[in-house]
């Protein structure tokens, strides 16, 4: 990357560590950087209840849990808290940050992000 370059990152940014070290390194290497978080329309909703095994395709981790309205509410709380940490991190890194929904028109997403 060029030191005078501009960077736009698209990711779900859902890793526990929020990729902090990598983001700092990327940000230090360009003159400006921006981030757009892409999430599923209803990231924590699962149309099921009862015992389940979930497999994270990126990490290879498998978890056993019980799906319920209470579990979904707890997952929503965790996602909301993670989003607040991301907003703080990107503010510290001087990187404008926004979110969008997977499947949204990319031109509208980018226009909204740049206009914010």
């Amino acid at each position: 990357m060029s030191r005078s370059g501009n960077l736009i990152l698209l990711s779900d940014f859902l890793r526990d560590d929020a990729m902090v070290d990598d983001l700092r390194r990327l940000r230090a290497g360009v003159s400006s950087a921006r981030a757009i978080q892409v999430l599923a329309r209803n990231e924590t909703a699962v149309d099921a209840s009862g015992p389940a095994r979930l497999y994270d395709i990126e990490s290879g981790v498998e978890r056993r849990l019980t799906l319920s309205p209470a579990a979904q509410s707890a997952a929503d709380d965790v996602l909301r808290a993670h989003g607040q940490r991301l907003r703080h991190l990107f503010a510290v890194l001087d990187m404008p940050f926004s979110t969008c929904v997977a499947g949204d028109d990319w031109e509208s997403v980018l226009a909204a992000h740049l206009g914010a």
Side-chain angles (χ1 to χ4, degrees):
M1 288 188 300
S2 167
R3 194 96 165 112
S4 63
N6 299 305
L7 176 69
I8 297 178
L9 296 171
L10 303 171
S11 175
D12 61 11
F13 297 106
L14 290 180
R15 283 193 20 189
D16 286 342
D17 68 357
M19 302 177 287
V20 173
D21 293 337
D22 296 325
L23 290 171
R24 284 191 176 124
R25 201 170 16 262
L26 286 168
R27 178 63 186 99
V30 295
S31 64
S32 73
R34 299 173 162 274
I36 301 174
Q37 184 182 36
V38 183
L39 296 174
R41 186 156 307 284
N42 203 343
E43 191 69 31
T44 63
V46 178
D47 251 358
S49 62
R53 286 180 15 195
L54 299 180
Y55 180 75
D56 183 331
I57 197 166
E58 291 177 353
S59 69
V61 172
E62 184 177 306
R63 295 181 189 223
R64 295 176 186 265
L65 58 116
T66 300
L67 300 174
S68 68
Q72 181 171 330
S73 178
D76 288 337
D77 290 345
V78 169
L79 184 61
R80 206 171 3 267
H82 184 72
Q84 290 172 342
R85 287 190 304 276
L86 284 175
R87 281 186 283 287
H88 175 74
L89 168 64
F90 287 117
V92 167
L93 293 174
D94 188 30
M95 292 176 65
F97 173 72
S98 64
T99 62
C100 71
V101 175
D104 283 354
D105 174 67
W106 70 268
E107 292 169 325
S108 298
V109 168
L110 187 57
H113 176 81
L114 294 172

